[in-house]
Amino acid sequence: MLVDEMATTKIRLWIYDFYVNCTQHHCLLACLHRVFLKNHPWNSQKLVVLKFSKHLSYVNVDTSTIEGIERCKRLGLTSSGIADVIVTSLFHEAASMFTPRNRGRMFALFRHPIERAVSLFHFVQDTHWRNKQTFQQDLADLTIEDYFRGGIAENNWMTRFLTGELIKGELDEYDLDLAKEILRRKCLIGLLKEKGESFARVETYFGWHLKSEADRECHEKKLDWLWPLKHRHEDVQEGTELWDLIMRQNVYDVQLYEYAQLLFKEQAQFFQSDIR
């Protein structure tokens, strides 16, 4: 059961999608005043909270790399109580920071894998491949169809990160079943299409509260219309050739997403009473 696997330390173990991730960050940082760990440079031999503004606080560690996670372990991050949320795509490596005494809680906001893949392509192309400082001629004018035909697109990204099979050729049903079991036992599920309910569950579960009317207005804006770093692009319609191209690269992730939707419904029962 989800609740049986949880303890006192708050943790988020991976970034599911850049767009979703930025939305979560801003709601938690700007509106709920949480202290984050992510990918900030470090050159200190002690843990320090870096305040970038009234609402933005980060710890001076980099959890986007194995080296950074090892540093967190050496400095006793999880026992320090200095941070509220840890963000990383290195699920298994980050899990090693925790112990039976200092355990973690995992939560994630899920987006449909095809929507995620399309959004990522357009974001990277516009902000990196077409950017003057990071311009790449061969990719700047690449069509999304050729991107997914060419074998350079993501392949079942979430299933791979959950199972640790980042370099495995073809995934199989065992990998999918393992990823499902990790979500069932370890993860508080949120859905982008149910973002209001999802954030309400996260806030209830962790005991996070909006402190003022200004915080409530901030929260409403971030969730409902003023989404940070929102990147607009045309949607891909189900049944089209492009949809099928992307689906072939994300068959297991789509099944995992469907399972996450089922878990989201099942976990509603945890919020009928105080689960903290």
Side-chain angles (χ1 to χ4, degrees):
M1 296 293 292
L2 174 73
V3 177
D4 293 339
E5 296 292 339
M6 301 304 168
T8 56
T9 306
K10 284 78 75 178
I11 181 170
R12 175 179 171 201
L13 286 179
W14 84 89
I15 300 172
Y16 181 69
D17 170 50
F18 180 83
Y19 175 65
V20 169
N21 181 253
C22 287
T23 301
Q24 285 179 293
H25 281 186
H26 282 258
C27 283
L28 292 173
L29 282 169
C31 308
L32 284 164
H33 310 280
R34 299 296 100 192
V35 178
F36 263 68
L37 284 83
K38 190 185 174 187
N39 58 350
H40 286 267
W42 42 270
N43 53 17
S44 172
Q45 295 305 309
K46 64 179 181 178
L47 299 171
V48 178
V49 175
L50 308 173
K51 295 188 72 68
F52 290 89
S53 70
K54 179 181 178 181
H55 299 306
L56 299 178
S57 299
Y58 289 89
V59 179
N60 61 329
V61 296
D62 183 357
T63 51
S64 69
T65 68
I66 294 175
E67 183 181 15
I69 289 173
E70 289 299 317
R71 176 173 177 267
C72 290
K73 290 160 69 173
R74 290 196 303 271
L75 295 179
L77 172 70
T78 57
S79 61
S80 71
I82 197 172
D84 296 304
V85 181
I86 296 174
V87 182
T88 181
S89 61
L90 301 173
F91 172 76
H92 292 277
E93 290 82 359
S96 71
M97 290 191 291
F98 295 88
T99 66
R101 188 168 205 166
N102 298 292
R103 300 172 68 192
R105 297 176 174 181
M106 172 179 167
F107 66 99
L109 188 65
F110 287 77
R111 188 183 194 184
H112 193 288
I114 293 182
E115 294 178 5
R116 178 197 73 215
V118 172
S119 180
L120 180 63
F121 167 80
H122 286 291
F123 177 82
V124 173
Q125 185 172 60
D126 287 350
T127 61
H128 293 273
W129 302 338
R130 291 174 177 170
N131 186 291
K132 289 183 179 180
Q133 279 131 5
T134 54
F135 183 79
Q136 296 186 53
Q137 180 67 57
D138 57 333
L139 297 174
D141 297 318
L142 184 70
T143 67
I144 190 170
E145 289 82 4
D146 288 340
Y147 176 71
F148 282 98
R149 288 192 191 102
I152 58 176
E154 62 179 82
N155 177 277
N156 295 300
W157 186 88
M158 170 109 79
T159 306
R160 290 182 181 278
F161 270 82
L162 282 174
T163 59
E165 296 291 358
L166 302 184
I167 61 174
K168 183 177 180 179
E170 293 292 327
L171 298 183
D172 53 37
E173 292 293 328
Y174 173 82
D175 299 311
L176 175 61
D177 290 343
L178 177 58
K180 286 181 176 180
E181 185 66 4
I182 291 170
L183 293 186
R184 185 186 71 82
R185 295 183 59 196
K186 301 289 186 180
C187 189
L188 177 61
I189 303 292
L191 301 176
L192 178 60
K193 66 179 183 179
E194 300 282 356
K195 57 183 181 293
E197 171 65 19
S198 297
F199 272 94
R201 291 185 185 185
V202 169
E203 291 156 14
T204 297
Y205 192 66
F206 293 109
W208 294 339
H209 305 288
L210 298 167
K211 298 179 179 179
S212 66
E213 185 60 33
D215 290 343
R216 281 187 285 275
E217 290 180 4
C218 167
H219 196 270
E220 181 180 344
K221 289 178 181 179
K222 300 297 185 187
L223 281 180
D224 293 338
W225 58 276
L226 189 60
W227 283 48
L229 300 182
K230 192 169 186 177
H231 194 76
R232 299 188 181 279
H233 55 79
E234 291 185 8
D235 294 332
V236 175
Q237 300 302 315
E238 187 171 0
T240 62
E241 179 185 2
L242 179 54
W243 180 281
D244 292 340
L245 275 172
I246 303 171
M247 173 67 83
R248 286 197 287 272
Q249 293 292 325
N250 293 280
V251 170
Y252 291 118
D253 269 14
V254 169
Q255 293 181 65
L256 189 63
Y257 175 74
E258 292 170 350
Y259 183 68
Q261 292 182 96
L262 293 176
L263 291 177
F264 182 77
K265 292 180 180 179
E266 291 180 3
Q267 289 179 4
Q269 66 181 299
F270 299 143
F271 298 91
Q272 296 171 2
S273 60
D274 187 3
I275 59 172
R276 292 182 288 109

